[in-house]
Amino acid sequence: MTTEVITVKKPLEVLSQPRRRFYRRVGLQQVLTVAVTLILLELVVFGDYFSGANTPQFDFVGYSEEAFAWWNDGTFFSPAQWMPYMWGGYPAVSNLQNSSFYLPVGLIAGITPFNLTASACLSALHVAFGALGAYMFARAFGLRHFAALLGLVGWFFVIGNYSNAAQLDIMRAYSWVPWIFLVISPRWPWRSWWAYPIAALILWQAALGIYPGMLIAGVYASVTWVAFNQFLYRPRFRTYLLPIVLVGSAAVAMTMLRFLPAINARGYYPAVLLDTSHFNFHTLSTFFFPPQNIADGLDTFGLYFLPVPLFVLLVFVPWRSLLAKALISVLLVSVLIGVPFWPWHDLVQLLPGMSLSRFRASDFKVFILFAICMLAVMALNEILRSRDSRTSPMFTALSRTGKRPPRILRSFPWQTGMIFLLVLGVICLGLRYSPLNPANWLIQAEILIASAAIVIFSTRRTKMISLKTAAGALVFLSLISGTHYVYSISNAWTVSRSAVEEANLGESVDSLIQERIPVTTSPGRPARIAPPEPPSDLESIARHYGSAFYTGDDSFFGYVNLRGTQTYEMIKVSAYLPDELGVASRKFWTASGIVVESVNSQLPSVATTAACVADGLCGPNLRSIPLAYSAGSFVYGVESAVNIRVILNDAHYVGWSAQVCPPTGSRGDCMPVHSERGPSGEIAVDLPKGHWQLKLDYTLPGQRTSWILFWGGVGVVALSSIGAGLLSSRRGRTDRVPNRD
């Protein structure tokens, strides 16, 4: 076998100078079109976010307030260790949904205080980022500008951007999925040095920004996508699978900054609540028609929507296309695993990771809708490419390269019939299962009929409508369809900011931030905000306690996602003990920082707690006074004539270390003492007799290892990028291609 040296030319070099100028001008026009479209969509849909007038409601406040505290209390390279604000404190990464290490939030927090307006504006930018990702995905696979523009508009209005605006990590998944599928596709330019750091950044930040249940679902969808792409396109191992393995492994290692300490601190456990997924004809109707009202944040999880013109186009999908087959594989796997009407739905719980989420259908919904959106874009592209004019620059370029231009589209009666059946079926579905409110379903039905007419007339041999006009009309109708639908559920994603702040926090976030207590070391931890006596069942998750994240105060109760962690559950049980036991527990937890002698493994009485706070008399054999305090660090002066067990009114998690040191001015070395979780979730320490300074410090468990893994991942990406750059420079001179003749 001989080897022939072939000089690699850039694609535009085969064209004349005027042709190169033409294509550059067209490219610039397309960039401007995309930029102007996104800016206009952002201003029209999210203008009230940018003005500060509106924000989402429901869980949005909880997500935003803890994100503010995490980035306010630390930085990326010096992260907060302990969050003292609720439930006796907890490790700073215990809540996996607090935007820790998520760079978009960190960037905004570094520019302006991360209040609700800043959080809402960041959400709006995520929507634009996701829409741009859908456009880039389509263009990477060679789909035309008008078709990709339909994907941009369609994905801008995908339901998750609005129905789950309150659940930031769920909404963010809709922004990241197009980019994830792009960088793990055969069309990602792995031969370029920059492809590795960008792909790693996308995968790493997507993993940190996405809801954990959707992250697990994404693993199944991504493996399906990669496997079918490898089978269908058959790229070389070193040009596809190897880069994905390298970058994917590096991204996983980099995410350990959050996940490794979190797993060590709180453990691994299945979802506490049962799967709430459902799918029926009412759910099917939400693909096209908005619901009548949204009562709370959970009502939105069962909504499915893409602009209705996309569904009309599905009858023209080029089913034999390799891209279509790969997308259909993702669609089928997502439906088979995520949709709950299958007889094996309960068995899916046994798959690795599937027990982590109680919103399984919602977790896979994003992949179902993305596949549908891209299939519709492919259908429009197929219509556009089938009617190329023989005098067009594209035809000329294809002729010069010796390629045969695509045939002219013929009239397809069966496709026209399918469109009529689709329109009829959707209207019947709306009449039967959607609320009979013209504002809710009539407009969408009219858009559906108009889209069907445009598609039918533009695909006939007689060419009753030009294809560019038809494509532009479909993009415009998609915009109208999406705008109408999302504003029909406006209370899920855009309500008055001042009303949200007043209802959840009692005053504006900016006022609370101005009241924030400076971070200083004080003699003792201040008392916590106490609940009313007796507390109601829902008082423990009342949202107004979230003001502590902004002011720097400590609260006992509050709405934070610690459900399932053993310490949290034990504290909550103790707080709701009956009669005097419950009162004593709440007085103990809400008191200022104290060390109390443990008697009979029970929390101290109300009198003992009061005496300890006032006089330092903290049990039959213990005197104690606070000496120094900062978040995650305590120093107490203690004195006991006998060896005793003491407890602190702060929550115990893996990562606490305790030691006793001689009093100031005395000689001697510090020595570690045993600490563990007490019977009510508190810190328990075995204290030797004598006069000591008791010091406790919290460090996230596994943090040093997580940083080693992070820098290891960065190193893998850097080496891969350097290697790709060196190989690319060699290929730029000559490529040696085997001559198999």
Side-chain angles (χ1 to χ4, degrees):
M1 181 171 61
T2 61
T3 301
E4 180 183 356
V5 178
I6 300 176
T7 302
V8 177
K9 297 181 179 181
K10 297 180 180 180
L12 288 181
E13 290 180 359
V14 301
L15 303 175
S16 63
Q17 185 68 22
R19 293 298 186 195
R20 289 201 295 271
R21 286 198 300 267
F22 171 81
Y23 280 109
R24 291 192 182 103
R25 184 167 64 251
V26 170
L28 179 60
Q29 290 174 352
Q30 292 175 357
V31 170
L32 291 176
T33 300
V34 171
V36 170
T37 301
L38 283 175
I39 292 172
L40 290 177
L41 286 173
E42 286 283 295
L43 293 177
V44 169
V45 178
F46 297 111
D48 288 340
Y49 280 13
F50 294 109
S51 69
N54 286 9
T55 67
Q57 57 175 332
F58 305 133
D59 291 346
F60 172 79
V61 179
Y63 279 90
S64 301
E65 61 196 14
E66 190 171 356
F68 165 84
W70 194 91
W71 284 98
N72 184 82
D73 292 353
T75 64
F76 182 90
F77 292 106
S78 181
Q81 303 288 306
W82 185 253
M83 303 288 274
Y85 303 105
M86 293 177 182
W87 295 104
Y90 54 91
V93 294
S94 279
N95 181 5
L96 297 176
Q97 300 166 272
N98 67 354
S99 298
S100 57
F101 298 104
Y102 188 58
L103 295 183
V105 173
L107 178 63
I108 299 298
I111 298 173
T112 183
F114 196 70
N115 53 23
L116 296 191
T117 296
S119 183
C121 291
L122 182 59
S123 294
L125 295 177
H126 272 81
V127 175
F129 179 69
L132 179 61
Y135 178 88
M136 295 298 294
F137 179 91
R139 296 294 280 162
F141 278 90
L143 306 186
R144 300 192 174 192
H145 169 67
F146 267 112
L149 198 62
L150 177 68
L152 181 150
V153 174
W155 200 247
F156 189 94
F157 289 106
V158 67
I159 188 62
N161 290 332
Y162 307 92
S163 63
N164 294 107
Q167 296 82 29
L168 292 180
D169 49 356
I170 295 179
M171 183 276 295
R172 290 169 184 166
Y174 288 82
S175 303
W176 285 107
V177 162
W179 294 98
I180 294 172
F181 274 64
L182 174 59
V183 302
I184 61 174
S185 75
R187 294 305 180 97
W188 187 248
W190 291 114
R191 292 187 177 186
S192 301
W193 67 267
W194 52 264
Y196 289 83
I198 291 179
L201 179 65
I202 288 173
L203 296 179
W204 170 45
Q205 285 297 292
L208 294 179
I210 292 176
Y211 174 66
M214 300 180 81
L215 183 59
I216 299 299
V219 172
Y220 286 91
S222 298
V223 169
T224 302
W225 171 250
V226 171
F228 272 83
N229 276 317
Q230 178 62 38
F231 174 75
L232 295 169
Y233 290 95
R234 300 188 183 280
R236 294 180 179 179
F237 175 77
R238 65 183 177 86
T239 61
Y240 183 53
L241 289 183
L242 179 59
I244 288 177
V245 170
L246 290 174
V247 171
S249 300
V252 170
M254 294 163 70
T255 61
M256 290 300 106
L257 278 180
R258 177 196 292 175
F259 292 124
L260 183 60
I263 293 172
N264 288 338
R266 61 181 287 170
Y268 174 91
Y269 54 86
V272 176
L273 302 177
L274 297 177
D275 185 16
T276 60
S277 301
H278 63 276
F279 196 98
N280 49 38
F281 282 109
H282 289 284
T283 308
L284 190 62
S285 71
T286 66
F287 275 95
F288 311 95
F289 307 109
Q292 193 163 9
N293 56 61
I294 301 294
D296 60 60
L298 294 181
D299 283 352
T300 62
F301 281 76
L303 302 184
Y304 293 71
F305 172 75
L306 284 167
V308 294
L310 276 68
F311 293 96
V312 176
L313 289 167
L314 291 179
V315 299
F316 291 97
V317 171
W319 304 108
R320 295 183 179 181
S321 164
L322 299 184
L323 174 58
K325 292 177 181 178
L327 288 169
I328 291 170
S329 69
V330 175
L331 175 62
L332 290 177
V333 168
S334 300
V335 170
L336 292 174
I337 296 179
V339 178
F341 54 61
W342 302 107
W344 55 78
H345 181 69
D346 292 337
L347 296 178
V348 172
Q349 193 84 357
L350 302 178
L351 291 175
M354 285 292 102
S355 62
L356 284 176
S357 175
R358 61 190 178 107
F359 306 115
R360 193 183 309 153
S362 176
D363 296 340
F364 282 93
K365 178 172 66 174
V366 59
F367 306 104
I368 295 173
L369 295 177
F370 180 71
I372 293 174
C373 182
M374 289 301 106
L375 288 171
V377 171
M378 290 186 66
L380 180 58
N381 183 79
E382 184 70 9
I383 294 173
L384 291 172
R385 72 181 285 271
S386 66
R387 293 289 292 269
D388 273 333
S389 169
R390 292 181 177 272
T391 60
S392 69
M394 179 62 72
F395 182 92
T396 304
L398 290 172
S399 300
R400 291 187 179 187
T401 58
K403 294 183 179 180
R404 188 178 180 183
R407 61 182 174 83
I408 297 177
L409 181 69
R410 295 189 292 268
S411 296
F412 292 107
W414 72 267
Q415 289 170 321
T416 302
M418 288 294 294
I419 292 176
F420 277 117
L421 291 176
L422 173 66
V423 172
L424 181 61
V426 170
I427 292 177
C428 292
L429 186 70
L431 290 172
R432 174 64 179 85
Y433 292 103
S434 184
L436 294 179
N437 184 339
N440 275 343
W441 69 272
L442 185 57
I443 293 178
Q444 296 292 336
E446 292 172 345
I447 294 173
L448 180 69
I449 294 171
S451 302
I454 290 172
V455 171
I456 291 172
F457 291 136
S458 64
T459 55
R460 297 182 64 84
R461 184 192 292 270
T462 54
K463 197 177 180 181
M464 301 177 68
I465 303 176
S466 72
L467 289 179
K468 286 189 176 181
T469 301
L474 290 174
V475 171
F476 179 74
L477 288 174
S478 296
L479 190 152
I480 300 300
S481 174
T483 303
H484 168 260
Y485 195 107
V486 301
Y487 273 100
S488 296
I489 59 168
S490 59
N491 62 326
W493 63 276
T494 179
V495 295
S496 169
R497 175 185 58 81
S498 58
V500 171
E501 292 176 334
E502 182 66 29
N504 288 272
L505 303 171
E507 57 181 299
S508 72
V509 169
D510 290 336
S511 299
L512 295 172
I513 293 175
Q514 292 176 0
E515 299 170 9
R516 187 169 183 83
I517 302 171
V519 178
T520 57
T521 300
S522 59
R525 176 181 57 72
R528 297 187 174 101
I529 300 172
E533 291 290 343
S536 65
D537 292 340
L538 296 179
E539 185 68 25
S540 62
I541 57 173
R543 295 184 183 273
H544 64 86
Y545 294 114
S547 61
F549 287 114
Y550 294 114
T551 63
D553 294 317
D554 292 350
S555 173
F556 180 35
F557 283 171
Y559 184 75
V560 64
N561 188 10
L562 297 174
R563 186 185 292 116
T565 56
Q566 189 171 359
T567 296
Y568 165 78
E569 299 293 350
M570 294 170 71
I571 295 174
K572 189 174 180 180
V573 168
S574 73
Y576 280 95
L577 289 172
D579 304 328
E580 291 83 1
L581 293 176
V583 175
S585 173
R586 292 187 290 273
K587 291 296 184 182
F588 170 75
W589 284 109
T590 57
S592 57
I594 54 175
V595 177
V596 184
E597 182 178 357
S598 176
V599 179
N600 298 325
S601 298
Q602 293 183 348
L603 296 181
S605 65
V606 174
T608 301
T609 298
C612 186
V613 171
D615 304 318
L617 301 177
C618 301
N621 303 293
L622 178 66
R623 293 184 62 87
S624 170
I625 57 170
L627 300 177
Y629 165 75
S630 60
S633 180
F634 305 92
V635 180
Y636 290 94
V638 294
E639 183 177 1
S640 175
V642 296
N643 297 335
I644 56 174
R645 165 160 285 207
V646 298
I647 56 175
L648 288 76
N649 57 345
D650 290 276
H652 181 277
Y653 289 86
V654 176
W656 278 109
S657 61
Q659 59 180 346
V660 290
C661 303
T664 303
S666 303
R667 294 184 177 182
D669 297 327
C670 298
M671 60 179 182
V673 291
H674 175 70
S675 63
E676 63 182 18
R677 181 171 49 224
S680 297
E682 75 279 12
I683 302 173
V685 179
D686 293 330
L687 183 69
K689 64 181 179 180
H691 187 193
W692 305 99
Q693 284 189 359
L694 175 62
K695 298 182 178 181
L696 296 99
D697 294 285
Y698 187 81
T699 303
L700 289 170
Q703 186 177 56
R704 179 176 297 181
T705 303
S706 71
W707 278 107
I708 293 173
L709 291 171
F710 171 80
W711 289 115
V714 172
V716 169
V717 174
L719 292 175
S720 300
S721 180
I722 293 171
L726 294 175
L727 291 175
S728 178
S729 63
R730 293 179 58 186
R731 294 192 196 100
R733 294 189 296 269
T734 59
D735 267 5
R736 297 188 178 274
V737 181
N739 186 349
R740 301 185 184 278
D741 294 337

